[in-house]
Amino acid sequence: MERYEVIDKETLWEGRFLRTLMLRYRDSSGNVRTWEAIERVNCKGIVAVVPITDDGSVLLIRQFRPPLNGYVIEFPAGLNDRDETLETVAKRELLEETGYRAGEIRFLGRGPLSSGSSVEVMTVYVAKGLEFVGQGEKDETEEIEVIKVPIDSIWEKLKELEDRGDFIDLKIPGLVAIAVKTLSLQPSFKNSETTSNPNL
């Protein structure tokens, strides 16, 4: 049995930030099939940062996302469009979007964002030893609200934000759990009704 593999890539349209692709791939039977996808222009990687404060809180951001016509709760994130290392991008985005400088930054994980439609792969870091130094220069299109939430009550806060109409980035619960394990923190996730809430 043959492996699935992409054998050709054609650009159908290209804008300033995105391009659409027609991928041709061979399936396990040897048949050639097509798949439409999107990718970033001038981007050498995407990063996100899980910022954990010394007092056991996590920093989230809230910003308007035009594709959803609504506000989204997410982690600081950004693109490697300046030919930097991904760790440098993570530190820069954290500072630009929250005003906090990381004393320590550690690799957390890497994986696709939307594997059915996009070629994007995100690399995630956890940031510790945070110091507020004021927000740096940020993108002119960004108007960001920083939300500081104790890890012990993050599920209740996410539900509160969702109830008021915000979208919750589904990466948040999993990445918080991985960060807690990586940093050997001990949050009191005792309310099983809250942590298993199907609305999150």
Side-chain angles (χ1 to χ4, degrees), residues 1-174:
M1 185 173 70
E2 297 185 31
R3 290 182 54 195
Y4 275 77
E5 64 174 344
V6 173
I7 57 176
D8 186 46
K9 180 172 74 171
E10 176 188 357
T11 298
L12 301 179
W13 171 87
E14 183 170 319
R16 183 180 175 189
F17 299 108
L18 295 173
R19 65 170 63 95
T20 57
L21 307 172
M22 179 65 74
L23 304 177
R24 292 180 179 82
Y25 69 99
R26 185 178 290 112
D27 67 16
S28 59
S29 299
N31 300 311
V32 175
R33 302 180 182 277
T34 59
W35 196 283
E36 295 175 0
I38 59 171
E39 73 176 354
R40 302 269 183 180
V41 174
N42 188 34
C43 176
K44 297 183 179 180
I46 302 170
V47 302
V49 186
V50 182
I52 307 291
T53 64
D54 291 343
D55 63 0
S57 293
V58 62
L59 301 180
L60 304 172
I61 64 171
R62 178 179 184 265
Q63 62 179 323
F64 182 76
R65 292 298 196 181
L68 293 171
N69 190 27
Y71 287 85
V72 180
I73 306 300
E74 53 197 23
F75 285 119
L79 310 176
N80 183 7
D81 55 5
R82 305 181 189 179
D83 203 22
E84 301 169 309
T85 67
L86 293 180
E87 185 173 304
T88 298
V89 177
K91 291 177 179 177
R92 173 171 53 80
E93 291 295 336
L94 175 65
L95 178 60
E96 289 179 359
E97 296 189 356
T98 70
Y100 283 83
R101 178 183 292 137
E104 175 189 356
I105 195 160
R106 191 184 306 181
F107 174 80
L108 203 60
R110 183 174 183 270
L113 287 175
S114 181
S115 58
S117 62
S118 170
V119 304
E120 293 180 326
V121 174
M122 174 176 278
T123 302
V124 184
Y125 295 88
V126 60
K128 284 283 289 176
L130 303 183
E131 176 189 7
F132 184 76
V133 295
Q135 286 179 301
E137 182 178 347
K138 58 184 178 181
D139 191 295
E140 63 181 8
T141 64
E142 293 179 329
E143 186 174 323
I144 296 173
E145 175 186 352
V146 179
I147 303 172
K148 182 179 179 182
V149 186
I151 293 176
D152 287 356
S153 60
I154 190 168
W155 315 116
E156 293 90 337
K157 185 62 177 180
L158 291 178
K159 182 62 168 63
E160 173 192 323
L161 293 165
E162 183 184 53
D163 285 347
R164 80 177 189 186
D166 291 344
F167 291 98
I168 307 299
D169 188 325
L170 288 179
K171 295 186 294 296
I172 292 175

